[in-house]
Amino acid sequence: MECPHLSSSVCIAPDSAKFPNGSPSSWCCSVCRSNKSPWVCLTCSSVHCGRYVNGHAKKHYEDAQIPLTNHKKSEKQEKAQHTVCMDCSSYSTYCYRCDDFVVNDTKLGLVQKVREHLQNLENSAFTADRHRKRKLLENSSLNSKLLKVNGSTTAICATGLRNLGNTCFMNAILQSLSNIEQFCCYFKELPAVELRNGKTAGRRTYHTRSQGDNNVSLVEEFRKTLCALWQGSQTAFSPESLFYVVWKIMPNFRGYQQQDAHEFMRYLLDHLHLELQGGFNGISRSSILQENSTLSASNKCCINGASTVVTAIFGGILQNEVNCLICGTESRKFDPFLDLSLDIPSQFRNKRSKNQENGPVCSLRDCLRSFTDLEELDETELYMCHKCKKKQKSTKKFWIQKLPKVLCLHLKRFHWTAYLRNKVDTYVEFPLRGLDMKCYLLEPENSGPENCLYDLAAVVVHHGSGVGSGHYTAYATHEGRWFHFNDSTVTLTDEDTVVKAKAYILFYVERQAKAGSDKL
């Protein structure tokens, strides 16, 4: 956005001697001494941590406004308000009064001069001593990521995702999708797109919520993020470009408050689907799909128009049967889906752990059965019967008419009460292998036994008590090993740990080859 406060807030000399020593990306907060997410004030050159660390950069701005609240602001008092700061890692500029990232500059170009000076400081910090220390750190990090598999030493090649401020909901979904091989490979094999040309070619783009939609591409930023994962990097990748595109095209996710991971996943898949339908940087959607020969026409499920890789992999079809209890008229409707949202049966909602006594453990089968069982609609959901020509009591039942290649199951853990949204913290038992979906099919005789078996690929877990708080992590399997993704931290784990997780979203992949009958 065009910020009107730069002239009164950018007061430091571009080559100010007040800057700390060392590389800007490792500067420490002057209050808590944290070197995570340092921001420099462009009024006084003081360094503080970002809002998702301890928030001292924002507090520095708020403290500077206190004297102005006791009396009428004058033009002189507005000259130095500490409202604008710069990220010492990405060099993007943010105004607290506008509450947005800034793309313009002062008449003298001071913002760009400060940015260039910080970049020079960062480059000069890579001296021989810095290089030696970094090599030692990399070696130490690499050694810590080594493990023994079948007697040989193997390195963990997974890369974490940096938390940009309560963005764990996004990180958990991205890590889960990156481990769904067919989906991930499709995007990684797309051609790279150059969104900038002319005068801005080769420069970094600083996305803001006010920029036009024509210069952002969710598909491209999603592709870049997937390519950055699983490359063996020892440092976490920062998905800031993707996050700013999310801000631009998904207004619900603007800001730094906690969000619902399932809601984000649906928005993400829907927008990827729509962008691929419209063509990608001049490449038609049809030609893109033709590049992936495994996505045959018979496996595509169309949602909101033509098919894309999103519907080809996640798309299934439900048959919704409604029967009038007065005249017996039956109504059938086919609904496409990308995921199934399953209620946790009420009789299990007090069962919080697998080992807790007081009755049987809730299983995924119980949730699926509750979803597909015959249900009598209550008074608030009366069915408009075309034969009776008025709303009547009725029953409803779901059948799965077509199973997807990747079955995404969302356990409905959050429920609204009169005043707030409560979390159902029930433990739900789920299989790692051999989830058999045949009994939920409309025509099971038309499906082979191997086409109805699913193996777990990833699990998203919500830790905490409410949807607006807590923390999201993910478990996913890659090349036969399970990993735990906790933002920038990635650790190896085992199957026993995974099955004890209180799953929120489960991603099951259709089994291709016949294997042992480890059925649910």
Side-chain angles (χ1 to χ4, degrees), residues 182-183 186-187 189-191 272-273 276-280 283-297 299-302 305-313:
Q182 191 175 14
F183 185 71
Y186 171 85
F187 284 94
E189 291 170 4
L190 285 176
L272 288 172
H273 172 65
L276 288 169
Q277 277 186 319
F280 181 55
I283 304 171
S284 69
R285 175 195 54 78
S286 58
S287 63
I288 291 175
L289 279 174
Q290 286 172 4
E291 293 178 7
N292 196 331
S293 59
T294 60
L295 301 178
S296 62
N299 288 325
K300 294 175 185 176
C301 170
C302 298
S307 176
T308 67
V309 67
V310 175
T311 53
I313 290 188

Side-chain angles (χ1 to χ4, degrees), residues 221-248:
E221 295 304 334
F222 185 66
R223 182 195 69 82
K224 289 179 181 177
T225 302
L226 293 182
C227 287
L229 302 175
W230 297 104
Q231 291 187 346
S233 172
Q234 281 120 46
T235 57
F237 175 74
S238 178
E240 57 183 8
S241 295
L242 174 62
F243 189 44
Y244 295 147
V245 173
V246 168
W247 274 23
K248 186 67 238 173

Side-chain angles (χ1 to χ4, degrees), residues 421-455:
R421 201 177 185 187
N422 287 331
K423 181 181 177 182
V424 179
D425 205 28
T426 301
Y427 170 77
V428 177
E429 192 173 51
F430 55 90
L432 294 179
R433 286 173 287 276
L435 171 62
D436 192 350
M437 294 295 294
K438 192 165 188 174
C439 60
Y440 310 108
L441 281 175
L442 179 64
E443 298 176 340
E445 65 277 3
N446 294 334
S447 299
E450 67 280 355
N451 295 332
C452 301
L453 293 179
Y454 286 80
D455 298 323

Side-chain angles (χ1 to χ4, degrees), residues 169 246-247 249-255 257-259 263 267:
F169 68 92
V246 168
W247 274 23
I249 66 177
M250 305 181 200
N252 290 357
F253 297 96
R254 292 177 182 173
Q257 66 271 24
Q258 182 64 279
Q259 303 280 0
E263 185 181 359
Y267 270 89

Side-chain angles (χ1 to χ4, degrees), residues 16 21 37 39 55 82 172 178 255 276 313 331 407 431 496:
S16 174
N21 295 323
S37 183
W39 290 74
H82 307 265
S178 76
L276 288 169
I313 290 188
S331 172
L407 179 64
D496 290 340

